[in-house]
Amino acid sequence: MNDSYLIKGGKPLNGEVVLSGAKNVALKTIIAALMFKGDVILKNIPRINDVLDLIGLIKSLGVKADFIEKNTLVINSDGLKSNRVELQYGSKIRVSFMLFAPLLHRFGECFVPNPGGCRIGARPIDRIVSGLKALGIKVDYDSDTGYYHAKIINKPRGKYRFEKPSHTGTELLMLVGLMTDGKVEIDNVANEPEIDDLILYLTAAGANILEEGNKIITSKSPQLKQKKPFVIMSDRNELVTYATLAVASQGNVIIGSIKEGLIASFLEIMRKTGAGVEKIAKDKFRFFYQGKIKPVDIETSPHPGFMTDWQPSWAILMLAAKGESVIHERVFENRFSYVEELKKLGAEIDFIDIKIDNPENFYHFNYEKNNKYQQAIRIQAGNELHNAILNISDLRAGAALACAALLASGESIVNGTSILERGYEDFVEKVRKLGGEIRKI
Ligand code: EPU
């Protein structure tokens, strides 16, 4: 299997990128399709490794799923016949734990393994399991087999308040809420626009879902049935990857289509660096280099803040800035696997401690006093980056490393690119179209 890129860096990237569909909507709409009757047609589904693996998983459960065009997927789950997610899938596809919802819907009980996925900190699902229990679902974990066993005793009902919000947790409890014969209220939910897209898809098929401030309320819904194909939103994480690469490489790239509201916090911070940012048409933006890039510190937070998924790309832009900048990660623990790799290119980056008065509240993961966390880095820009052999260990970090190699002089090798391709469609082709020298080896 070709799992590396050979990249010859140092050229400005110019041209246009057409964004693919959002990974974090594609995966959820595919899983939720298992709660529908009849055919479900999803458009703008990216052919990325995470989606292909998930399709493999649902097929193993007896579901039909086929691409009828490059990005149009037809799913029919009428033949769903198994309520057990095999370990080989569950350990590979983190989001597979969302299958609790359709499997409980169909069978009233299911067996789902503890999730695997990207190596970003511990990533527990404790809030999700307590949410399921609060709604009346019996959940047991068998530490010998690594499986959760969930069972509906009475139809889900009642209230659950996330102590700290969870994006996928919100989506899963909302899907479970659709099985109620009364009402389910979920409080302190996550507000990511990807969740709104999932709600659009479900309500168009008959789901009763109400968004009220920080709450999502579901009530008794008919059997979901699609009336017309659903087109999923574009990937805003992909936009940030190419926009930062365009400016850092001293290039000029047009990117679309994306609604401005989805990337407002990114545009605001990008402008502070002195980079050129222009809206050139509805849902289309131009990002370009226009002289010295100013260093800008960022702190990640859930929507509408600066997303955690964007910080590895921000590090790449800051390497091309003039001066020192700080990135402070609040959402995930230890999401800086790219730092040691960037150092191989000659980048000067250190971990720093930032004193926080109330870290238990400030950080979105379950902060524990005695644990050692690395939540902030200081980037000292100015060094010319040179070639190196780089290794990818998580998705967004992977894209950042490939971009760093595109900025560095000489030929670099980036290993583990199937991890990057879990979330980026046609990465090699898109970069080549912008004039980047990259090929799979
Ligand atoms: N958390 C817990 N316990 C839980 C749930 C979450 O401790 O039960 C912690 C997480 O470990 C994390 C924080 O709470 O520190 C927030 O996690 P959240 O549940 O909101 O994230 P997620 O649903 O696992 C999704 C995306 C991520 C994206 C985040 C933030 C999917 C499949 N993944 O993750 O995307 O960064 O929301 O928006 O939707 C990516 O695309 O590369 C990616 C990691």
Side-chain angles (χ1 to χ4, degrees):
M1 181 176 151
N2 295 349
D3 201 30
S4 304
Y5 295 156
L6 178 66
I7 293 178
K8 193 162 172 206
K11 282 173 73 179
L13 298 190
N14 297 303
E16 184 159 353
V17 174
V18 177
L19 294 174
S20 297
K23 167 179 82 80
N24 292 342
V25 177
L27 297 171
K28 323 305 174 56
T29 49
I30 293 172
I31 289 174
L34 275 55
M35 292 173 77
F36 287 52
K37 198 170 168 45
D39 280 358
V40 176
I41 303 178
L42 293 169
K43 291 185 173 260
N44 206 25
I45 296 292
R47 288 215 192 191
I48 50 178
N49 289 345
D50 264 5
V51 163
L52 301 179
D53 285 344
L54 180 62
I55 291 175
L57 191 175
I58 60 171
K59 281 186 165 171
S60 78
L61 301 174
V63 173
K64 284 193 193 145
D66 293 294
F67 279 102
I68 51 165
E69 285 165 16
K70 180 172 178 207
N71 299 113
T72 303
L73 181 67
V74 182
I75 302 172
N76 186 307
S77 67
D78 295 351
L80 179 61
K81 62 173 192 301
S82 170
N83 68 348
R84 184 185 173 87
V85 175
E86 289 308 326
L87 204 55
Q88 76 192 82
Y89 295 108
S91 58
K92 200 158 143 200
I93 312 165
R94 183 178 156 75
V95 79
S96 59
F97 68 83
M98 275 193 75
L99 283 156
F100 274 127
L103 297 182
L104 284 172
H105 177 250
R106 189 66 63 94
F107 302 103
E109 94 178 295
C110 64
F111 300 86
V112 176
N114 210 359
C118 255
R119 279 182 238 154
I120 319 172
R123 297 192 83 180
I125 60 163
D126 55 321
R127 296 173 205 163
I128 295 155
V129 171
S130 356
L132 290 170
K133 288 181 176 168
L135 301 185
I137 300 190
K138 191 171 178 303
V139 188
D140 295 307
Y141 182 64
D142 181 342
S143 53
D144 289 340
T145 59
Y147 267 84
Y148 286 97
H149 174 207
K151 192 167 181 175
I152 294 185
I153 307 293
N154 294 306
K155 291 232 177 208
R157 254 177 192 259
K159 295 185 182 180
Y160 178 69
R161 183 186 156 78
F162 280 102
E163 201 179 314
K164 290 181 183 183
S166 160
H167 174 163
T168 317
T170 298
E171 294 169 326
L172 173 59
L173 294 191
M174 176 172 78
L175 291 180
V176 168
L178 295 180
M179 296 172 221
T180 184
D181 54 4
K183 210 162 106 173
V184 163
E185 201 175 293
I186 315 155
D187 198 357
N188 198 21
V189 295
N191 288 308
E192 264 66 30
E194 287 79 6
I195 302 174
D196 294 330
D197 219 34
L198 181 65
I199 292 178
L200 274 181
Y201 161 70
L202 295 167
T203 50
N208 288 320
I209 303 173
L210 198 71
E211 285 183 278
E212 225 178 65
N214 253 1
K215 285 186 190 163
I216 290 181
I217 301 160
T218 55
S219 46
K220 191 169 170 24
S221 300
Q223 169 63 59
L224 300 181
K225 216 164 175 341
Q226 198 179 43
K227 296 185 183 78
K228 59 173 198 229
F230 184 75
V231 186
I232 71 165
M233 67 184 251
S234 303
D235 200 317
R236 53 202 185 113
N237 298 328
E238 195 190 14
L239 175 133
V240 170
T241 300
Y242 290 109
T244 45
L245 176 61
V247 176
S249 71
Q250 306 197 358
N252 182 340
V253 175
I254 291 170
I255 312 180
S257 71
I258 190 92
K259 296 212 168 19
E260 190 167 353
L262 301 182
I263 50 164
S265 61
F266 172 69
L267 295 179
E268 188 191 325
I269 292 191
M270 195 69 171
R271 287 192 174 106
K272 287 189 187 163
T273 67
V277 178
E278 256 178 35
K279 183 168 181 170
I280 58 162
K282 188 174 173 279
D283 299 343
K284 223 176 208 193
F285 295 83
R286 189 161 80 92
F287 298 91
F288 56 100
Y289 180 77
Q290 51 178 10
K292 212 169 97 174
I293 302 165
K294 292 186 210 124
V296 177
D297 298 347
I298 56 138
E299 196 176 273
T300 65
S301 66
H303 187 74
F306 192 97
M307 274 193 85
T308 166
D309 296 311
W310 303 343
Q311 60 92 344
S313 293
W314 196 254
I316 302 311
L317 179 63
M318 289 300 101
L319 283 175
K322 294 275 170 282
E324 189 182 290
S325 56
V326 169
I327 296 181
H328 193 172
E329 171 62 47
R330 292 177 64 191
V331 178
F332 286 104
E333 55 181 281
N334 304 329
R335 196 176 190 176
F336 286 112
S337 67
Y338 58 84
V339 167
E340 290 311 312
E341 298 302 303
L342 288 180
K343 285 184 184 169
K344 295 182 187 167
L345 298 165
E348 228 180 285
I349 308 180
D350 306 301
F351 282 100
I352 54 170
D353 275 328
I354 297 182
K355 182 109 191 63
I356 302 296
D357 285 341
N358 194 344
E360 289 84 358
N361 284 351
F362 180 81
Y363 292 114
H364 294 262
F365 51 87
N366 305 337
Y367 184 89
E368 286 179 32
K369 243 201 222 125
N370 297 326
N371 279 4
K372 174 97 189 94
Y373 295 104
Q374 293 193 310
Q375 295 308 126
I377 56 170
R378 183 189 292 120
I379 300 170
Q380 204 70 56
N383 288 0
E384 287 285 311
L385 301 183
H386 54 73
N387 62 328
I389 296 174
L390 306 172
N391 298 309
I392 294 179
S393 63
D394 89 70
L395 165 55
R396 304 290 163 202
L401 294 180
C403 291
L406 283 160
L407 303 182
S409 63
E411 274 189 352
S412 294
I413 290 179
V414 183
N415 294 320
T417 52
S418 55
I419 300 179
L420 178 160
E421 291 172 4
R422 278 166 62 166
Y424 289 83
E425 188 178 45
D426 299 336
F427 185 79
V428 167
E429 293 75 7
K430 286 183 182 181
V431 169
R432 273 213 196 128
K433 227 181 119 205
L434 299 176
E437 287 191 48
I438 176 169
R439 73 183 165 86
K440 274 195 146 180
I441 55 168

